[in-house]
Amino acid sequence: MVSKDKVKRFDFKKKPHRPYFLMYAAKYIISFPDLKKRGAVIRKSDDMKELEGKPYLLLVTHSSLVDLNLMLKATHPYPVNNVMTLEGFNTYTAPLMRHLGVLGKRKFVTDINLIRNMKYCLHELKTIFVLFPETRYSLDGCTSYLPDSLGGLVRMMNVPVAVMRIHGNFVTSPQWNHKNKGIRVEADLFPIVKPDEIKAVSADEVMSRIREAFAYDDYRWQLDNNVVIDHPDRANGLHCLLYKCPACGEEHRMNSGGCELWCEACGKRWRQNEYGQLEALSGETEFPHIPDWSNWERECVRREIEDGTYYFEDDVQVQTLPNWTKFYKHGMGKLIQTPEGTRIECKAYGEDTVVVKAPLDMYSMHVEYDYLGRGDCVDISTNDESYWLYLTKRDAITKLSFATEEIYKKAYANANFAKRTK
């Protein structure tokens, strides 16, 4: 086992550059043909003409890999820089990503180098800078958590800001069911901070506009637009999201297959129809709309945190990703989460290691359903390390994600209340 002091760390300080010709080749060979097959539609508001050929910050909603192709089509032929987390560099190699103008980052870690490089791209390279501010793929087809600090970061860039809101990208291929259902995708591109507003608009106002622009619900879009998904396995994996039975209250006893979802504890079954809605095969349909079910689960987690009963502990397989080159395996460890924060106990690089994340240290958690066929895992990062933890317990990572966000929200609200009452 390599020693900790000999492991090379990723160089986040390295200056990015404009994408090389490879990006233009990738657009025509990969991105554009994929969008054509999907019948993609991109609607640009008339106000976007003010930004064409100029540097601006583009914020994009995030539910699947097709989001990147839509972004490249919407910004073509202008050069863009964007951000990718280190597992993406591990998949595609750092030299290729840097040639494509991509910057590396660890999830849910504040990085001053990223802020400097964003400014460098916008003000020195004069490119469009693209952020996926939700940081991870949506779990239920609705907006993921956006921290209040995002408004200040965006305002700091001192450039116009646009948003691309995408529909159809989630329901065609949710993260817990990667089978592409082949439906159309569409996107709307519009500015939220115009050139003449840059100096006047406050960080709070920018954040308010971002939240309004990022409000989406892909299942509602599917229903309202009568988009038919009749794929025979459309409900496969749905139990990973809907892990708690609303009929009997049991957790982690749900299962799914084909177009059905069922509880192994009480036997109740639901069918997902061609418009994405749920129908109980007997008795009451508690939540026809899937995001309503996941919101109920989140509310249950919130109550556990409020009354102090929330507790999670599991034996996990530990891997680390200090750089882009390889994952290092470290055997078994423990992941513990309570309302007081999140804790990893393991042996890494031959040393006893404890990583503690206080409630305000982590506003969300990166989760992966059956990552690369290796099982469900979470990624918890520090400034110089990413810990990839493969869980032993089944269907637990969605609740972990909800809990991380609710623990943060409670701590954030308490901290703000304390400031106001001083």
Side-chain angles (χ1 to χ4, degrees), residues 20 46 64 199 201 213 320:
Y20 293 168
D46 291 339
S64 77
K199 300 294 184 183
V201 68
T320 56

Side-chain angles (χ1 to χ4, degrees), residues 287-342:
F287 300 105
H289 190 55
I290 288 172
D292 289 342
W293 189 325
S294 63
N295 285 336
W296 168 73
E297 291 176 329
R298 180 186 288 273
E299 178 57 34
C300 292
V301 175
R302 184 182 300 123
R303 287 199 297 269
E304 289 182 39
I305 292 167
E306 290 293 338
D307 63 25
T309 60
Y310 175 76
Y311 182 84
F312 176 87
E313 181 176 332
D314 194 20
D315 296 321
V316 293
Q317 296 178 10
V318 181
Q319 296 185 17
T320 56
L321 185 62
N323 204 319
W324 67 271
T325 51
K326 65 177 291 187
F327 285 91
Y328 293 84
K329 297 180 179 180
H330 303 285
M332 299 300 293
K334 279 196 179 296
L335 174 62
I336 302 167
Q337 188 177 66
T338 72
E340 285 70 49
T342 304

Side-chain angles (χ1 to χ4, degrees), residues 342-353:
T342 304
R343 181 183 179 92
I344 304 167
E345 299 175 357
C346 66
K347 189 176 285 288
Y349 308 106
E351 300 178 7
D352 289 336
T353 301

Side-chain angles (χ1 to χ4, degrees), residues 65-99:
L65 279 174
V66 72
D67 304 344
L68 182 65
N69 293 340
L70 283 162
M71 177 275 290
L72 292 173
K73 181 70 173 178
T75 54
H76 184 73
Y78 305 109
V80 302
N81 291 98
N82 66 284
V83 179
M84 179 179 285
T85 47
L86 289 195
E87 69 272 19
F89 277 65
N90 177 259
T91 301
Y92 300 107
T93 79
L96 175 60
M97 290 297 96
R98 293 196 189 278
H99 274 74

Side-chain angles (χ1 to χ4, degrees), residues 193-204:
V193 178
K194 298 178 182 179
D196 60 354
E197 298 180 297
I198 295 171
K199 300 294 184 183
V201 68
S202 68
D204 287 344

